[in-house]
Amino acid sequence: MSKILVFGHQNPDTDAIGSSYAFAELSRLRGLDAQAVALGEPNEETAFALDYFGVKAPRVITSAKTEGADTVILTDHNEFQQSISDIRDVTILGVIDHHRVANFETESPLFMILEPVGSASSIVYRQFKAEKREISKATAGLLLSGLISDTLLLKSPTTHESDFAVATELAELAGVDLETYGLAMLKAGTNLAIKTADELIDIDAKTFELNGNNVRVAQVNTVDIAEVLARQAEIETAITKANAENGYSDFVFMITDIVNSNSEILALGQNIGKIEAAFDFELKNNHAFLAGAVSRKKQVVPQLTESFNK
Amino acid sequence: MSKILVFGHQNPDTDAIGSSYAFAELSRLRGLDAQAVALGEPNEETAFALDYFGVKAPRVITSAKTEGADTVILTDHNEFQQSISDIRDVTILGVIDHHRVANFETESPLFMILEPVGSASSIVYRQFKAEKREISKATAGLLLSGLISDTLLLKSPTTHESDFAVATELAELAGVDLETYGLAMLKAGTNLAIKTADELIDIDAKTFELNGNNVRVAQVNTVDIAEVLARQAEIETAITKANAENGYSDFVFMITDIVNSNSEILALGQNIGKIEAAFDFELKNNHAFLAGAVSRKKQVVPQLTESFNK
C-alpha cells in the first residue's frame, strides 16, 4: 500500500486542517499508510487551536507527485481549483466534505461521504464514533475547532441540528468549555491589523467558476467592521492586482462581524450588476451591508451562482 | 416537506431498480415523503426479480417537474446524462452510488454516499443495517437481486470483499438460496433472441463523455456469444443508426458470457484507434475478444477514458 496524502483545501481554514488531521489518523487506524499535510500555512485562528492542543502544524505541500504520492484523500473540499496543483494526475481514494459538488470528477469509483452539516470535522467525528474508535484529546480538540470555526460557534445558518450534540461531545472529549474556548479561538483569528492588504484578501479565499467566470470569494472575521473598512483603499488596490494577476473576473470580499453575525460586502470586477442582483442590494463606493450573512457557502455562493447563471 | 422522487439511471438495470426501491423505503422510514420511480421499463432480468418478490414495477417517468416534484435522490448513478431529463432544474437531495463521479454538480451541499463496492444495493443495505431498520423479504430480495446483477453473482472484479457477507445476509432475509436464485435471475436476462437489434443495443447502455466525445457503451449478457455475433449485420445497422441519431462518436457493444466470464467487443465509430489502444487488441471485422472482461465499469470505461484522454 503506497503512501496516501490527506489534505483540506488551499488557504486552509481550521476545518480543513482539523478534518484532514483527524481523518488521516482514522485512516491509519483502518490500516492505511496515511498522513495529513496542508496546502498552506495555518491562519492565526488555526494556529491558536494547534497550539492549544499541542499539535504541530501539518507540513505544507504544493504537489502530490513531488512527495512521491499518487493517491490522495480530500477533506473539506472537492472542487479541483481549490485542491492540490496536480489533482488531475493522482488517484482520489476518498472525499469527506460538506460543500456543494462542482468541478470534480474521477476515473474510478471512490469513497465519498458528503453531508450538508456544519463542518467536515462533524462527519469525521461521526465516523470515529460509528467505528467505536478511541479519540485522543488533541484530535477531539482539532475537530471541535473545525466545527466552531465553520459555524462561528454554532451561530451560522450552515449549522446542522446534529452539530450541537457533536460540539458538546467533542468539547467533553477535548476537555474544554465550548463557549469559552470557542470565543477565544474565533477572536484569535480577528487580529487583522497585523496583516497587509494582500494577506487580508487571501486569509480565507476560494475561487468559484460561475458560468465561465472565475469569481474569488474571500472572507475575514472581525469584531469591528469599521476598522477593516478604514483600510478600503489599500484593500481595493490588492484586489485589483489579484484580479489582474489571477484572471479573476470578480472579487467578492466578505467582512464578517462574528459578534453580531452580519457582513459588509466589498466587490470589484466585471460583473458588478450580477453581484448586486444576487443580494438585491446596491453597492455604494463598492460596498454594501448584508444583514445576517455570515456563511459564504450558504448565504453568498448559491446566490452568486444563481445570478451568474441568469 | 414536498414530494421526493428516488430513481436509478436511464435504461435501468436491476441494481438501479432495487437500490431506488429500497432507498425510497428507507427514506420514508426516516420521515421523508419519498417514492421510487424509474427512468425506463424494467429489463427481463429485473422483471424476473420483481415478479419473484411480488413487487410492482416502479412507475416510469421522464421529467421530475411534470410530476410536480422539485427534489430528487439518485441511486446507482451520478452523471447527469444518465439521469432524468430535467436534472439541472431540480434540487438533488442525495446520491447513493458506486460509480466514478463525472458530469455532476450541485448548487448546494447534499448527502452523497459513494463506495467502491459491487452495487448501490450493497450501500443501501448497510444503511438499513446501521440504523437497525427492519427489512422486508421483498426489499431484501430486490437489494440482493441488484447485487447479483451488478456483480454477475459475485464473479465480477467489481465485487468488493464486503459484498460476500452482504449477499449471504440478504439471501437469508429474502429466503432464497443465493446460487440457485442468482443463476435463475441472470439467465432470465439472457433471452436475447426475442429482442430486435435496436432493443439489444439499448438493454443496458450508458453514454460517457470522454474528452469531448459522446461514447455509448452497451452490454448484453448471454450464455452463448456466437449466438449474438450471428446477428452482427443487423446489430451494426442499429448501432450506425443510433450513432447518427444521438450524436455518439463511438459505440462499444459488450457481449458478455456470464458462464465463462469473458466478453466479445463490437465497436463502430470515429475513434476506433483509441478503442483498440484502450484494450491493446485489434478489431477484426469490427470485433475482438476481451478475455476475463465482464465489468463495463472496471474493465472497459476506465481504459477508454485513459485512451481518449491521451
Side-chain angles (χ1 to χ4, degrees):
Chain A
M1 176 61 71
S2 64
K3 183 169 65 172
I4 298 162
L5 300 177
V6 186
F7 48 82
H9 50 79
Q10 296 170 16
N11 294 303
D13 58 12
T14 308
D15 191 33
I17 301 273
S19 61
S20 56
Y21 175 84
F23 196 74
E25 185 177 308
L26 181 59
S27 300
R28 287 193 297 274
L29 292 171
R30 289 171 174 173
L32 300 176
D33 179 13
Q35 60 174 269
V37 291
L39 303 188
E41 298 293 341
N43 62 34
E44 294 190 25
E45 179 196 280
T46 311
F48 175 93
L50 289 166
D51 183 59
Y52 192 99
F53 292 104
V55 175
K56 229 182 97 196
R59 193 162 48 92
V60 174
I61 66 163
T62 53
S63 148
K65 291 281 191 188
T66 56
E67 299 287 316
D70 56 14
T71 307
V72 302
I73 294 174
L74 314 183
T75 73
D76 198 32
H77 75 294
N78 66 81
E79 303 194 35
F80 282 179
Q81 79 279 11
Q82 298 167 5
S83 198
I84 202 160
S85 59
D86 55 350
I87 186 71
R88 289 179 187 278
D89 307 324
V90 296
T91 300
I92 304 170
L93 185 66
V95 180
I96 305 285
D97 193 14
H98 67 130
H99 294 90
R100 68 162 191 165
V101 177
N103 299 316
F104 176 85
E105 64 170 4
T106 62
E107 274 185 24
S108 300
L110 74 164
F111 284 97
M112 199 158 171
I113 314 285
L114 271 62
E115 298 177 23
V117 294
S119 69
S121 294
S122 313
I123 305 170
V124 176
Y125 169 63
R126 269 204 296 281
Q127 295 212 5
F128 267 93
K129 201 174 161 182
E131 297 176 20
K132 298 187 172 57
R133 307 273 189 189
E134 206 177 323
I135 187 163
S136 70
K137 198 170 158 169
T139 301
L142 289 190
L143 288 174
L144 176 66
S145 302
L147 174 55
I148 290 170
S149 173
D150 263 28
T151 60
L152 290 180
L153 199 34
L154 308 173
K155 284 194 193 118
S156 162
T158 57
T159 311
H160 188 260
E161 53 183 12
S162 63
D163 286 325
F164 296 93
V166 168
T168 305
E169 290 172 33
L170 283 172
E172 169 98 24
L173 288 164
V176 298
D177 177 74
L178 175 60
E179 291 292 326
T180 311
Y181 171 76
L183 210 56
M185 189 199 82
L186 289 177
K187 281 198 175 155
T190 65
N191 185 9
L192 304 177
I194 58 162
K195 302 276 184 190
T196 67
D198 286 339
E199 286 167 349
L200 269 193
I201 64 165
D202 206 42
I203 288 175
D204 177 12
K206 293 182 182 170
T207 306
F208 298 87
E209 194 191 311
L210 304 182
N211 202 8
N213 300 277
N214 285 312
V215 180
R216 187 79 162 170
V217 187
Q219 183 172 27
V220 291
N221 291 337
T222 181
V223 290
D224 184 1
I225 287 177
E227 191 182 281
V228 181
L229 268 187
R231 299 175 63 186
Q232 186 178 352
E234 53 166 325
I235 291 171
E236 291 194 359
T237 304
I239 287 176
T240 303
K241 191 179 72 171
N243 284 356
E245 283 176 0
N246 302 286
Y248 305 140
S249 64
D250 301 87
F251 202 113
V252 177
F253 186 62
M254 296 176 69
I255 307 163
T256 299
D257 176 344
I258 59 166
V259 177
N260 300 302
S261 299
N262 295 309
S263 291
E264 190 78 17
I265 304 288
L266 174 65
L268 290 175
Q270 300 159 20
N271 301 284
I272 293 304
K274 285 187 194 297
I275 294 167
E276 290 183 326
F279 305 111
D280 196 20
F281 65 20
E282 196 182 329
L283 293 165
K284 286 187 181 157
N285 186 20
N286 301 329
H287 62 91
F289 186 66
L290 203 56
V294 296
S295 166
R296 171 171 53 196
K297 184 166 68 172
K298 210 138 182 165
Q299 296 170 301
V300 173
V301 174
Q303 289 75 4
L304 287 172
T305 305
E306 200 187 331
S307 182
F308 272 73
N309 281 335
K310 260 179 196 159
Chain B
M1 175 61 72
S2 65
K3 184 169 65 173
I4 298 163
L5 300 177
V6 186
F7 48 83
H9 50 79
Q10 295 171 15
N11 295 303
D13 58 13
T14 308
D15 191 33
I17 301 272
S19 61
S20 56
Y21 175 84
F23 196 74
E25 185 176 308
L26 181 59
S27 301
R28 287 192 296 274
L29 292 171
R30 289 171 175 174
L32 299 177
D33 179 13
Q35 60 174 270
V37 291
L39 304 188
E41 297 293 340
N43 63 35
E44 294 190 25
E45 178 197 279
T46 311
F48 176 93
L50 289 166
D51 184 58
Y52 192 97
F53 292 103
V55 175
K56 230 181 98 196
R59 194 163 49 93
V60 175
I61 66 164
T62 52
S63 148
K65 290 281 191 189
T66 56
E67 298 288 316
D70 55 15
T71 307
V72 302
I73 293 174
L74 314 183
T75 73
D76 197 33
H77 75 295
N78 65 82
E79 303 194 35
F80 281 179
Q81 78 279 12
Q82 297 167 5
S83 198
I84 201 160
S85 59
D86 54 352
I87 186 70
R88 290 179 186 277
D89 307 323
V90 295
T91 299
I92 304 170
L93 185 67
V95 180
I96 304 286
D97 193 15
H98 67 131
H99 294 90
R100 69 161 190 163
V101 177
N103 298 318
F104 177 84
E105 65 172 3
T106 62
E107 276 185 24
S108 300
L110 75 165
F111 283 97
M112 199 158 171
I113 313 285
L114 271 63
E115 298 177 23
V117 294
S119 68
S121 294
S122 312
I123 305 170
V124 176
Y125 170 62
R126 269 205 297 281
Q127 295 212 3
F128 267 93
K129 202 175 163 184
E131 297 176 19
K132 298 187 171 58
R133 307 273 189 189
E134 206 178 321
I135 186 162
S136 70
K137 198 170 159 169
T139 301
L142 289 190
L143 288 174
L144 176 66
S145 302
L147 174 56
I148 290 169
S149 173
D150 263 29
T151 60
L152 289 180
L153 199 35
L154 308 173
K155 285 196 191 116
S156 163
T158 56
T159 311
H160 188 260
E161 53 183 11
S162 63
D163 286 325
F164 296 94
V166 168
T168 306
E169 290 171 33
L170 283 172
E172 170 97 25
L173 288 164
V176 299
D177 176 75
L178 175 59
E179 291 292 326
T180 312
Y181 172 76
L183 210 57
M185 189 198 81
L186 289 176
K187 281 198 174 156
T190 65
N191 185 8
L192 304 177
I194 58 163
K195 302 276 185 191
T196 67
D198 287 338
E199 286 167 346
L200 268 193
I201 64 165
D202 206 42
I203 288 175
D204 177 12
K206 292 181 183 172
T207 306
F208 298 88
E209 194 191 310
L210 303 182
N211 202 8
N213 300 278
N214 284 311
V215 180
R216 187 78 164 171
V217 186
Q219 183 172 26
V220 292
N221 291 336
T222 181
V223 290
D224 184 1
I225 287 177
E227 190 182 281
V228 182
L229 268 187
R231 299 174 63 185
Q232 185 178 352
E234 53 167 324
I235 291 171
E236 291 193 358
T237 304
I239 287 177
T240 303
K241 191 178 71 170
N243 284 357
E245 284 176 0
N246 302 286
Y248 306 140
S249 64
D250 300 270
F251 202 113
V252 177
F253 186 61
M254 296 175 69
I255 307 164
T256 300
D257 177 343
I258 60 167
V259 177
N260 300 302
S261 299
N262 295 309
S263 291
E264 190 78 18
I265 303 289
L266 174 65
L268 291 175
Q270 301 160 21
N271 301 283
I272 293 304
K274 286 188 193 297
I275 294 167
E276 290 183 327
F279 305 111
D280 194 22
F281 65 20
E282 197 182 330
L283 293 165
K284 286 186 180 158
N285 185 21
N286 301 330
H287 62 91
F289 186 67
L290 203 57
V294 296
S295 166
R296 171 171 53 196
K297 184 166 67 172
K298 209 138 184 165
Q299 296 169 302
V300 173
V301 174
Q303 290 74 4
L304 287 172
T305 304
E306 199 186 331
S307 182
F308 273 72
N309 281 336
K310 263 181 194 157

